[in-house]
Amino acid sequence: MKILIARMNHETNTFSPVATPLEAFGRNGPVHGEDAYRENKGMQTAMSAFIDAAENAGAQIVTPVSASANPSGPVAAAAYDAICNAIVDAAQGCDAVMLDLHGAMVAENSNDGEGDLLERVRAALPGAPIAVALDLHANVTQKMIDNADVMVSFKTYPHVDMYECGAHAARLFFDLLEGRSRPVIAWSQPPLMTHTLRSASAAGAMKRAVEAAQAAEREGMLAVSILAGFSLADIAKPCISVVVVGDGDREAAARVAERIGRQIWDEREEFLYRSPSLADSVAEGAALALDADKPVLLLDHGDNCMSGGTCDTMDVYEEAVRQGMTGIVMGPICDPEAVAKLMAAGVGATVTLDVGNKLAGRAAHPHAPVALTGVVRALTDGEYVISGPTYTGQRAYMGRAAVLDLGVAKIVLTERTHEPWDLGVFESVGIDPRRATFLILKSRMYCRPVFVPIAKGLVECDSRGVTSSDFSLFDFGNVQRPVYPLDADVSW
């Protein structure tokens, strides 16, 4: 048995001005062959689980590519073609395929990145079983469903079950190969664009939907996935989906998909997030800090790295300073121009320069850069190893990094957009985040498993960035209407 195993991950925010060339996939682009194997073996990705399962089965493994990039704007056509071609070209002579995909990729030359890839793989290997692991925020399409035999998504957000998802898909895949089951896929898709802050799996309607999925699996379905979708993609249907893998009975699977889809639709209001004003959110954070001996987290979800944010809006910082806050640690702020100037100045230098709002200035709601004067405290290569629980053990690359000390605040500036996965974002540049009064993070969820345990509390702050929960800021021209909440009168 010769099995093709590959990874292609990108969540595309079509409103983001952050470019996605081939170099964005990894440190300096995707890795191939043995390097793709080594990048995933022993890690916590779905591809890692695929490799383990295939090796345990004694299969021959082909790993043509591992390509993962932070969420950003549409993937460059050349980058998309290069990754897809690496997978399709390697299919010749293979007996089966397991793919670790995100499910919400939009490229310059494809509005359905995963669906178009799967269609090509199916054409290259007619009849070969194809298993797919997806992110919980995948935008599922009919083309994806039609060209997969097994489809399973993460059940957690923040995502801490990537490996488990891959192991689940691999188990069904080998059951299919060895004749122990006959997977069939059914799905439903209510016309509902969810807010990412309401897709957390530990609370509310999303928790109840995941629990319904788990109950259906206990009652006999091979896999049931709740995919919240990624609504900041101006495509036909960036909507929530329910994907059910049944054992030979497609009608039974369809009934489960319809029932859980109807549950989600009936609770649709709970999938929407209503933001308070930025001033009110920051004031709430100030009140929390009055008797705190731990940092207060100010989460700038309007400029969230892992939804395609520019990571350079300065709204929350400016409002915090306006309200008289001190003891601020903020970052990472993506500003390659500022990093270059700080590198040239050197540690210990006092520097005045414009910071932030440079990429944000190209978005629909521009801001002016902020003039700051401070002392350069640290300069590094911006690399560290993630301690977990998300992507445990993987090396993280922020690009070159610098610390600018303003007195009231210390700002970590980087050359790349970067999610604060880990305390290493700050510790790698000599800052102990536990000693801050306020931590301003460009994050919605992924920071929480690491930073919440060291914090007094957290406040969600909605800047007018390209990942805002206010859909009125965005011009959705390609979405099929009516759809909730863009339209009030929607039936399903």
Side-chain angles (χ1 to χ4, degrees):
M1 176 69 66
K2 186 177 181 181
I3 301 176
L4 189 159
I5 300 174
R7 184 181 187 209
M8 183 180 81
N9 283 187
H10 187 257
E11 183 177 78
T12 306
N13 180 334
T14 61
F15 302 101
S16 174
V18 181
T20 316
L22 189 62
E23 295 75 24
F25 289 86
R27 185 180 185 184
N28 292 298
V31 291
H32 301 271
E34 285 298 315
D35 289 335
Y37 172 90
R38 284 191 291 269
E39 181 174 89
N40 288 274
K41 177 63 178 176
M43 297 301 172
Q44 294 298 306
T45 63
M47 183 170 171
S48 309
F50 290 163
I51 290 170
D52 289 346
E55 289 182 337
N56 289 338
Q60 180 184 352
I61 300 172
V62 177
T63 54
V65 65
S66 178
S68 181
N70 280 344
S72 48
V75 176
Y80 177 70
D81 289 345
I83 298 167
C84 291
N85 290 343
I87 295 170
V88 175
D89 292 348
Q92 186 67 35
C94 290
D95 301 297
V97 180
M98 289 193 282
L99 296 178
D100 177 348
L101 305 177
H102 184 285
M105 176 182 279
V106 178
E108 293 173 340
N109 55 340
S110 172
N111 278 341
D112 184 2
E114 288 83 1
D116 288 343
L117 168 63
L118 287 168
E119 185 177 59
R120 290 184 62 192
V121 173
R122 179 70 83 196
L125 291 175
I130 299 174
V132 177
L134 294 174
D135 190 284
L136 176 144
H137 292 107
N139 288 326
V140 180
T141 67
Q142 189 63 51
K143 188 178 288 188
M144 292 165 64
I145 297 291
D146 290 343
N147 291 286
D149 298 287
V150 169
M151 184 174 288
V152 183
S153 80
F154 310 158
K155 282 186 167 66
T156 63
Y157 180 53
H159 307 318
V160 294
D161 66 331
M162 293 87 73
Y163 184 93
E164 289 78 4
C165 169
H168 189 169
R171 184 170 65 254
L172 302 187
F173 176 78
F174 282 103
D175 284 349
L176 166 63
L177 289 175
E178 296 166 17
R180 291 189 292 269
S181 67
R182 296 182 298 115
V184 291
I185 301 177
W187 72 306
S188 68
Q189 189 175 55
L192 170 62
M193 294 169 58
T194 71
H195 285 130
T196 306
L197 273 167
R198 288 292 178 258
S199 59
S201 54
M206 187 64 181
K207 179 176 186 287
R208 291 188 289 276
V210 171
E211 288 172 343
Q214 292 168 328
E217 289 176 347
R218 290 192 296 270
E219 293 162 3
M221 292 298 112
L222 299 180
V224 183
S225 299
I226 310 299
L227 302 105
F230 183 64
S231 294
L232 295 173
D234 188 19
I235 58 174
K237 292 184 178 181
C239 297
I240 194 167
S241 300
V242 182
V243 174
V244 179
V245 183
D247 188 0
D249 189 340
R250 196 180 305 275
E251 289 186 2
R255 287 194 295 271
V256 172
E258 174 69 19
R259 172 172 56 80
I260 300 177
R262 185 61 54 186
Q263 173 184 320
I264 289 169
W265 180 247
D266 289 344
E267 296 189 291
R268 57 192 175 277
E269 286 297 323
E270 292 198 40
F271 286 93
L272 306 182
Y273 179 84
R274 311 294 186 186
S275 295
S277 73
L278 180 56
D280 287 347
S281 296
V282 172
E284 181 184 347
L288 275 175
L290 288 177
D291 60 350
D293 57 357
K294 295 180 179 180
V296 172
L297 306 182
L298 302 178
L299 304 188
D300 183 4
H301 63 89
D303 187 24
N304 170 38
C305 174
M306 292 309 289
S307 293
T310 60
C311 290
D312 77 335
T313 63
M314 300 294 285
D315 297 13
V316 178
Y317 168 78
E318 290 183 286
E319 181 60 30
V321 171
R322 190 188 70 79
Q323 294 193 24
M325 292 180 175
T326 60
I328 299 167
V329 170
M330 179 170 71
I333 298 294
C334 179
D335 191 332
E337 179 185 2
V339 171
K341 290 180 179 178
L342 298 178
M343 288 281 175
V347 173
T350 298
V351 180
T352 298
L353 74 171
D354 289 340
V355 172
N357 291 345
K358 295 170 185 173
L359 271 179
R362 296 189 219 157
H365 309 283
H367 316 254
V370 180
L372 300 175
T373 298
V375 178
V376 183
R377 296 297 186 195
L379 300 168
T380 77
D381 63 5
E383 297 185 12
Y384 66 93
V385 176
I386 298 171
S387 60
T390 305
Y391 296 124
T392 305
Q394 291 195 37
R395 194 159 191 83
Y397 307 103
M398 302 189 288
R400 294 186 301 170
V403 175
L404 184 64
D405 188 345
L406 307 173
V408 299
K410 292 180 180 177
I411 300 179
V412 178
L413 294 139
T414 61
E415 291 181 310
R416 287 186 168 195
T417 61
H418 188 78
E419 173 70 25
W421 303 109
D422 195 82
L423 300 180
V425 165
F426 299 107
E427 292 177 339
S428 68
V429 295
I431 296 175
D432 182 354
R434 301 169 190 84
R435 302 185 66 180
T437 305
F438 301 98
L439 282 170
I440 299 176
L441 305 176
K442 301 289 190 176
S443 183
R444 276 198 180 103
M445 286 289 170
Y446 290 112
C447 68
R448 299 188 192 210
V450 171
F451 287 91
V452 167
I454 71 165
K456 166 71 173 181
L458 69 84
V459 180
E460 294 159 347
C461 301
D462 195 357
S463 62
R464 289 171 64 82
V466 295
T467 70
S468 171
S469 296
D470 182 358
F471 285 163
S472 70
L473 298 177
F474 306 105
D475 181 17
F476 290 98
N478 297 315
V479 173
Q480 288 186 7
R481 313 289 285 267
V483 64
Y484 198 76
L486 299 188
D487 303 294
D489 187 14
V490 185
S491 59
W492 185 65

